[in-house]
């Protein structure tokens, strides 16, 4: 007879090198589903210390089993609470050491299986943590300022003026409306031009001060109605990028990005961070090979 499945699953938040004091920090944290957080490690051999460790919680199987997760992800309140708890654990790790965040709801049947998976990937995890050490993620969003979305107004009637004793419109019907629409279109085009200038400036700043760059899809709908854009009024998000910045260059990066759109009134630029490197969990792409017939230059 098969044994009944355990009442819990092992939820993994991220990977980190073991560091002094981490156990004490995590033992005070409440993680996903109100569960305590701990570190588990896989040693490279019987004698050596762990290369890397998983931050984990034992979560209720009834809430995180594979067959119920699709329904859970449709529950926005559950999703928000789980994402917030996951993020708080990652941030607590990042405050003490380098962390490689894993995707929310990374689960194993139990801790022994999590340890085996960690041991199989320890060299790769250690290499990626070395690439992320002393680096932090920053986000840059660029919005094109514009009028609030909504139906176009009806053409207003032209004011009447007197001509040779007769009263009539000052211009053809709707002409002022068409002029206003033309002016709005010209302003929109100018704001998009300014956004391209801002994006080019940020790209140049990144080449000087960041190690890696990821372009996320621009936000729209409810996701774009929060943060600086909501405070400043309606606008179209045209750039939503993340940058991995060496800690030594963070001050220069922040100052340069904040100044990148100072002279562009049609653009709203939002800088956010520092964050744990959520956008850089994948390893960097391999270097491009040299052109055919060209070898390394000594």
């Amino acid at each position: 007879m098969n044994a009944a499945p355990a009442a819990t699953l092992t939820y993994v938040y991220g990977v980190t090198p073991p560091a002094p004091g981490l156990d004490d920090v995590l033992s005070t944290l409440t993680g996903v589903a109100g569960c305590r957080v701990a570190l588990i490690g896989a040693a490279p051999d019987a004698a050596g210390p762990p290369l890397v460790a998983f931050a984990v919680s034992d979560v209720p199987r009834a809430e995180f089993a594979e067959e119920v997760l699709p329904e859970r992800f449709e529950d926005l309140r559950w999703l928000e609470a789980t994402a917030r708890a996951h993020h708080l654990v990652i941030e607590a790790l990042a405050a003490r050491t380098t962390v490689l965040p894993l995707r929310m709801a990374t689960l194993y049947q139990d801790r022994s299986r999590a340890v085996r998976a960690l041991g199989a990937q320890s060299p790769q995890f250690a290499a990626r943590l070395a690439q992320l050490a002393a680096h932090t993620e920053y986000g840059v969003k660029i919005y094109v300022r514009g009028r609030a979305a909504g139906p176009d107004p009806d053409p207003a009637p032209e004011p009447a003026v007197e001509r040779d004793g007769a009263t009539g419109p000052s211009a053809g019907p709707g002409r002022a409306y068409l002029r206003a629409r033309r002016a709005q279109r010209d302003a929109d085009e100018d704001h998009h031009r300014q956004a391209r200038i801002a994006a080019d400036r940020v790209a140049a700043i990144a080449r000087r001060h960041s190690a890696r760059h990821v372009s996320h899809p621009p936000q729209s709908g409810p996701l774009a109605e929060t943060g600086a854009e909501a405070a400043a009024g309606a606008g179209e998000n045209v750039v939503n990028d993340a940058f991995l910045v060496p800690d030594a260059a963070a001050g220069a990066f922040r100052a340069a990005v904040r100044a990148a759109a100072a002279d562009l009134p049609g653009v709203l630029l939002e800088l956010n961070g520092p964050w744990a490197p959520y956008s850089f969990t994948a390893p960097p792409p391999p270097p491009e090979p040299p052109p055919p017939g060209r070898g390394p230059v000594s």
Side-chain angles (χ1 to χ4, degrees), residues 142 190 192-203 260 263-264 267:
I142 297 175
D190 183 57
H192 278 86
R193 179 188 62 81
Q194 293 181 37
R196 290 191 293 272
I197 293 172
D200 288 343
R201 291 175 179 175
V202 170
D263 60 340
L264 301 173
V267 169

Side-chain angles (χ1 to χ4, degrees), residues 13 22 25-26 29 84-97 99 101 136-137 273-278:
Y13 300 90
L22 272 187
V25 171
L26 295 183
L29 280 179
R84 183 182 296 113
H86 183 103
H87 174 71
L88 288 176
V89 173
I90 294 296
E91 290 301 300
L93 289 166
R96 290 297 187 100
T97 187
V99 59
T136 308
E137 178 173 331
W275 308 110
Y278 287 99

Side-chain angles (χ1 to χ4, degrees), residues 191-215:
H191 290 180
H192 278 86
R193 179 188 62 81
Q194 293 181 37
R196 290 191 293 272
I197 293 172
D200 288 343
R201 291 175 179 175
V202 170
I205 293 165
R207 285 193 291 271
R208 295 196 302 271
H209 299 301
S210 74
R212 290 176 61 192
H213 162 233
V214 170
S215 291

Side-chain angles (χ1 to χ4, degrees):
M1 179 180 295
N2 293 331
T8 61
L9 295 168
T10 299
Y11 183 109
V12 183
Y13 300 90
V15 191
T16 182
L22 272 187
D23 284 311
D24 293 338
V25 171
L26 295 183
S27 67
T28 66
L29 280 179
T30 299
V32 166
C35 300
R36 303 302 290 268
V37 184
L39 291 180
I40 58 173
D45 55 54
L51 288 173
V52 292
F54 274 159
V56 303
S57 288
D58 294 323
V59 297
R61 180 181 292 272
E63 190 169 340
F64 287 88
E66 184 178 0
E67 60 270 18
V68 302
L69 273 182
E71 181 180 350
R72 290 291 186 184
F73 276 95
E74 296 293 328
D75 182 344
L76 295 182
R77 291 181 62 183
W78 181 92
L79 187 62
E80 180 183 3
T82 302
R84 183 182 296 113
H86 183 103
H87 174 71
L88 288 176
V89 173
I90 294 296
E91 290 301 300
L93 289 166
R96 290 297 187 100
T97 187
T98 307
V99 59
L100 178 67
L102 296 183
R103 184 177 300 177
M104 191 176 73
T106 297
L107 295 153
Y108 291 91
Q109 291 294 326
D110 52 45
R111 291 194 180 192
S112 64
R113 297 193 191 192
V115 167
R116 288 201 297 271
L118 178 63
Q121 300 177 75
S122 283
Q124 293 90 337
F125 281 142
R128 287 161 70 182
L129 285 166
Q131 293 160 356
L132 297 174
H135 288 72
T136 308
E137 178 173 331
Y138 288 88
V140 176
K141 297 180 182 180
I142 297 175
Y143 299 91
V144 175
R145 296 185 189 272
R147 58 188 174 90
D152 290 328
D154 293 329
E158 299 289 344
V161 297
E162 187 172 310
R163 290 194 183 99
D164 299 327
T167 301
S170 62
R175 190 168 298 174
Y177 169 79
L178 293 176
R179 284 199 300 267
R181 287 292 303 273
R182 205 159 37 238
Q184 179 65 55
R185 182 195 63 202
D186 292 344
D188 288 345
E189 289 177 354
D190 183 57
H191 290 180
H192 278 86
R193 179 188 62 81
Q194 293 181 37
R196 290 191 293 272
I197 293 172
D200 288 343
R201 291 175 179 175
V202 170
I205 293 165
R207 285 193 291 271
R208 295 196 302 271
H209 299 301
S210 74
R212 290 176 61 192
H213 162 233
V214 170
S215 291
H216 296 300
Q219 292 182 334
S220 60
L223 287 175
E225 295 170 3
T226 60
E229 190 259 349
E236 177 190 359
N237 180 214
V238 294
V239 171
N240 181 20
D241 289 358
F243 300 91
L244 187 66
V245 181
D247 292 344
F253 176 82
R254 290 194 301 265
V257 168
R258 289 188 180 117
D263 60 340
L264 301 173
V267 169
L268 171 67
L269 188 150
E270 179 188 77
L271 172 68
N272 58 73
W275 308 110
Y278 287 99
S279 299
F280 302 94
T281 56
E288 293 185 5
R294 294 279 301 277
V297 178
S298 58

